Amino acid sequence: MELINKISREKSAALFAEAKKYFPGGVNSPVRAFKSVSGPPLFIKEGKGAHIIDEDDNRFLDFCGSWGPLILGHNNDQIRELVIATVAKGTSFGTPNRLGNQLGKLILDNNKVIEKLRFVSSGTEAVMSAIRLARGVTGRNKVIKFEGCYHGHVDSLLVKAGSGLVTFGESTSAGIPPAFIKETLVLPLDKPDLLDQTLQQHGEDIACIIIEPVPANNGLLLQDEAFLKHLRKRSEEYGILLILDEVISGFRVGFEGASGHYGIQPDIATYGKIIGGGMPVGAYGASAEIMAHVAPDGPVYQAGTLSANPVAMAAGYAALKQLLEPGFYNKMAEKTQNFVQKIQQHCDQRGYEVSIPTIGSIFWLAFSHKRITRADQIEADSMQKFKILHHELLQRGIYLGPSGYEVGFVSAAHTEADLNEAAGLIGEAMDVVFAG
Ligand SMILES: *Cc1c(COP(=O)(O)O)cnc(C)c1O
């Protein structure tokens, strides 16, 4: 089916052509290149609230939210004001600063998950450091991860399942030494028996099990609470540290993230995205006892030139403070539920094979009626449908992340009216998808 452009992407196209001279694929992060949807990527020049505006002056209701950080929407007044006031005094000193204390205190005072934390500058850095910490604490090398979970571009985690059921994986990127891959075991989600088998064989060598408790980087693969609790129980039995990678779910499905939502206590938690209020911040945290292994208190080295710089801390502090307002997360979940239900109804009435898994303010448009809990259950064909949907939505002023494997995020800035209108337009776009 031919996709017809009603909106102009002339300026974005020209900027993208120029960007290709400077950056591989014209981008600084691969999925931004629009490879799996149609047309050049949009160059966004401005955002306010729930909307973004591109260089061609098209305005979109945004469900990407910079891939998750912007739970308060774009250009939030309180974040902007504190950031500007902070920038006015200098951007980074490479020393401790008061704003770092403030953000640290705010986080630790309002969760039961971690007792101490270390700020870093990205989710990848948080995960990479958490893995090192787990190895340092346990004196073991191997890591278990799950197919369909993304943990940033950490060498030893860019691994997928090879052939065979319980297996050492193969890398998903060139440039990763086989010796690293050997230390990573990849299991399917939602298969407690396979985990048990693997632990019987390798349990004593495993430093940590890492999982996205809300797997949201390969569709939204919501897990049974029982599976997550099983991981908790087994890791304890084998002296393995459980790392919950809360880079997306942290401060998103609740202030305490998925740990709070499911009532599961990780040994180490990693954060990113929302924690920085739109600035580059990540963090990893654990009990005081585990964090005592981190330098300079302990032997696990980890450092960062721009870590916890005052501007990033200001953005995080101004953001997280707003998330603590009573009822914030209930309201977000309710709003998202209503929105999703409207789309679902439209699809059900017309017999479209669509379901929309949701948790908190995260949703995923899945072209299937089956409950999907594992990466291999997503049909490749559904990505063709997504491509049409994505294009039709751009024509209607709605911006989704440019891949069918990406989830959508509702922000506090999305009004009921925004969401009602969007539900109608998504219904219209679905009509086009299923007419084809
Ligand atoms: C985004 C993400 C990361 C990587 O964070 P970056 O800031 O992009 O390095 C790691 N883990 C999860 C679960 C993520 O969603």
Side-chain angles (χ1 to χ4, degrees):
M1 139 177 229
E2 199 176 335
L3 302 174
I4 299 160
N5 264 316
K6 284 175 269 180
I7 60 162
S8 169
R9 285 199 226 175
E10 213 175 302
K11 290 192 177 133
S12 281
L15 285 164
F16 189 47
E18 186 194 351
K20 282 181 175 167
K21 293 192 241 169
Y22 312 140
F23 317 118
V27 291
N28 292 289
S29 195
V31 73
R32 295 181 194 172
F34 269 43
K35 284 263 186 201
S36 53
V37 294
S38 77
L42 303 182
F43 276 61
I44 302 300
K45 62 177 180 184
E46 206 178 317
K48 183 69 194 146
H51 292 87
I52 50 177
I53 299 172
D54 71 8
E55 293 283 349
D56 291 282
D57 285 324
N58 302 302
R59 185 169 178 263
F60 302 92
L61 183 65
D62 178 26
F63 287 103
C64 179
S66 191
W67 305 95
L70 303 186
I71 192 169
L72 294 162
H74 296 270
N75 202 349
N76 174 267
D77 293 345
Q78 292 181 46
I79 299 177
R80 184 187 60 252
E81 278 160 25
L82 192 58
V83 164
I84 288 175
T86 307
V87 164
K89 298 181 202 160
T91 55
S92 181
F93 311 109
T95 66
N97 63 78
R98 187 187 294 268
L99 276 156
N101 278 15
Q102 277 177 246
L103 180 56
K105 177 174 165 53
L106 188 77
I107 294 168
L108 295 177
D109 280 355
N110 290 287
N111 85 80
K112 298 176 286 297
V113 184
I114 56 173
E115 292 173 345
K116 277 196 180 176
L117 82 170
R118 168 65 57 83
F119 287 118
V120 293
S121 297
S122 72
T124 296
E125 204 188 343
V127 170
M128 183 185 85
S129 311
I131 299 273
R132 183 179 305 140
L133 177 57
R135 287 174 166 153
V137 169
T138 59
R140 302 171 179 178
N141 292 327
K142 293 200 189 315
V143 172
I144 290 180
K145 68 154 278 186
F146 296 90
E147 186 87 11
C149 288
Y150 175 68
H151 302 290
H153 62 93
V154 181
D155 273 341
S156 61
L157 297 179
L158 286 179
V159 181
K160 63 173 190 220
S163 47
L165 275 180
V166 177
T167 162
F168 292 94
E170 35 189 83
S171 76
T172 56
S173 164
I176 297 175
F180 291 17
I181 304 301
K182 226 173 61 200
E183 305 299 344
T184 306
L185 290 93
V186 186
L187 297 178
L189 287 161
D190 195 28
K191 291 271 191 198
D193 45 329
L194 285 183
L195 175 81
D196 291 355
Q197 279 175 34
T198 306
L199 291 179
Q200 274 161 26
Q201 229 186 321
H202 302 284
E204 310 293 315
D205 302 326
I206 291 167
C208 60
I209 298 175
I210 182 165
I211 187 169
E212 277 183 88
V214 174
N217 277 288
N218 201 292
L220 182 59
L221 308 174
L222 293 176
Q223 298 298 295
D224 286 333
E225 192 171 313
F227 178 67
L228 298 172
K229 295 212 154 131
H230 186 77
L231 296 184
R232 175 63 283 177
K233 182 159 165 268
R234 286 285 182 265
S235 32
E236 224 152 83
E237 288 166 9
Y238 284 89
I240 295 167
L241 300 188
L242 178 64
I243 303 179
L244 294 186
D245 180 356
E246 301 248 33
V247 172
I248 279 193
S249 51
F251 311 101
R252 171 63 71 174
V253 301
F255 196 87
E256 294 181 286
S259 312
H261 181 86
Y262 294 115
I264 294 169
Q265 176 62 45
D267 296 300
I268 306 175
T270 55
Y271 303 96
K273 301 201 166 99
I274 290 175
I275 200 174
M279 296 288 281
V281 181
Y284 60 103
S287 64
E289 190 190 335
I290 288 179
M291 290 306 280
H293 291 257
V294 177
D297 281 353
V300 177
Y301 189 71
Q302 185 273 310
T305 300
L306 292 172
S307 291
N309 71 76
V311 182
M313 295 294 99
Y317 180 73
L320 298 199
K321 224 171 51 162
Q322 296 176 66
L323 309 185
L324 286 167
E325 275 159 30
F328 178 87
Y329 285 102
N330 284 341
K331 217 160 95 190
M332 294 284 289
E334 200 181 294
K335 206 158 78 164
T336 306
Q337 279 292 343
N338 290 339
F339 166 60
V340 160
Q341 263 169 26
K342 286 199 181 77
I343 305 167
Q344 187 72 61
Q345 239 169 32
H346 180 96
C347 293
D348 289 350
Q349 280 164 2
R350 288 158 185 78
Y352 303 158
E353 203 173 332
V354 170
S355 52
I356 315 171
T358 307
I359 182 169
S361 48
I362 310 176
F363 67 92
W364 179 47
L365 297 165
F367 291 95
S368 168
H369 273 148
K370 296 191 201 94
R371 177 168 174 234
I372 299 178
T373 57
R374 285 195 304 277
D376 65 352
Q377 294 163 328
I378 304 175
E379 286 169 29
D381 167 56
S382 64
M383 293 305 142
Q384 210 40 46
K385 290 200 178 72
F386 181 82
K387 185 174 175 177
I388 300 169
L389 180 77
H390 187 268
H391 181 268
E392 289 301 319
L393 286 176
L394 286 184
Q395 307 310 311
R396 288 167 176 77
I398 293 190
Y399 189 89
L400 294 182
S403 156
Y405 292 100
E406 301 296 340
V407 296
F409 298 101
V410 173
S411 81
H414 288 78
T415 64
E416 299 277 337
D418 287 334
L419 292 172
N420 286 341
E421 192 188 348
L425 294 171
I426 293 172
E428 265 182 46
M430 286 290 185
D431 294 346
V432 178
V433 171
F434 285 92

